[in-house]
Amino acid sequence: MKRVTLALAVSGLALAGTAVAQGSNPVAAITAAVSDAQRPAADTARDAARKPAEIVAFSGVKPGSIVAEMAPGGGYYTRILAKAVGPEGKVYAMVPAAVASRPGALDAINALAAQYPNVKVVTVDYTDLKLPEPVDLMWTTENYHDFHNGPTANVAAINRSVFSALKPGGIYFVEDHAAATGAGTTVTSTLHRIEPAAVVQEMTAAGFVLDAQSDLLKNPADPKTAGVRDPSVQGETEKFAMRFRKPA
């Protein structure tokens, strides 16, 4: 298992591109994706805190990748992923059926997909994913903790479903708000955080191997005692990023 630190952010971008692709230029593709003029100003204003170029490079996304994004929300990463994988790649924007059934719930993501021909919006059950094809990379950012919430939550089933949806050797990329050491999964519905060690434990139980973790979004100033929407930390929470690999 490898660790990528904040000090290596810039060099890591190039190294990640070199490691995951031969005969293509993922660094240039990711740089162009982040610079995409179609991205709204509300998204680009968040780039300094979210470090999208470094995060996408760390995940292993490259031109031609088939990516499935869980809970795309407003599409902050959907747009970047669409440009980064290019016309030979695909992005499946996966919306849970319970969300998709709400009036107008798909309007924004469908409008985004109309701008990016390689984005396909699909309505799914995360515990039993049915995608048109196996994918290279499963992506979720700031959502994994919520998979623990609600009366029918079944994280183990979700992780097994993701495992099945990936190609052998495929990557499950998770970025989320960090909880304090020892918190485990106890604050997923209150602070909307999760302890990184709890994620590793759950992924290992599903058959994944921890491939690498990154300190790119580490923030020692975050005490991890406030909810992620608390004004004292909103937009500045410490986050973790991890790559989990399905054995080939």
Side-chain angles (χ1 to χ4, degrees):
M1 186 273 292
K2 300 177 182 178
R3 179 177 288 274
V4 179
T5 65
L6 182 59
L8 294 176
V10 176
S11 61
L13 178 58
L15 288 172
T18 302
V20 300
Q22 295 180 352
S24 61
N25 192 341
V27 174
I30 293 168
T31 300
V34 173
S35 301
D36 179 16
Q38 294 186 88
R39 296 183 64 217
D43 283 8
T44 58
R46 302 166 67 193
D47 288 352
R50 299 198 74 175
K51 298 180 172 61
E54 294 91 338
I55 287 295
V56 174
F58 169 77
S59 76
V61 169
K62 60 183 179 180
S65 291
I66 300 172
V67 178
E69 182 184 15
M70 306 177 80
Y76 175 92
Y77 268 115
T78 315
R79 293 179 174 88
I80 295 172
L81 293 171
K83 283 290 188 177
V85 302
E88 301 302 317
K90 298 177 186 175
V91 177
Y92 291 105
M94 303 190 303
V95 181
V99 174
S101 65
R102 301 170 189 165
L106 295 180
D107 290 354
I109 194 67
N110 282 336
L112 185 156
Q115 292 181 293
Y116 298 87
N118 60 349
V119 173
K120 179 175 176 60
V121 180
V122 291
T123 300
V124 298
D125 174 357
Y126 288 157
T127 66
D128 186 22
L129 291 172
K130 304 294 185 187
L131 293 172
E133 59 190 319
V135 301
D136 297 301
L137 191 145
M138 191 71 62
W139 176 285
T140 187
T141 52
E142 301 182 8
N143 296 304
Y144 186 86
H145 68 273
D146 274 329
F147 298 162
H148 291 75
N149 301 333
T152 62
N154 190 340
V155 173
I158 291 174
N159 290 340
R160 288 194 299 268
S161 180
V162 168
F163 190 93
S164 296
L166 285 166
K167 296 178 181 178
I171 292 293
Y172 189 5
F173 172 76
V174 178
E175 178 208 298
D176 211 340
H177 305 279
T181 300
T185 61
T186 62
V187 295
T188 60
S189 63
T190 53
L191 303 185
H192 290 274
R193 299 171 180 265
I194 188 167
E195 184 182 1
V199 179
V200 175
Q201 183 178 24
E202 291 172 350
M203 294 296 186
T204 302
F208 288 99
V209 175
L210 178 59
D211 189 58
Q213 55 185 319
S214 171
D215 292 330
L216 282 164
L217 302 176
K218 191 173 182 64
N219 179 10
D222 177 10
K224 305 184 182 70
T225 54
V228 301
R229 295 191 182 279
D230 188 288
S232 66
V233 295
Q234 187 170 11
E236 300 293 338
T237 57
E238 176 167 306
K239 303 180 190 72
F240 59 88
M242 298 178 177
R243 288 197 313 258
F244 296 92
R245 187 175 297 277
K246 176 179 178 176

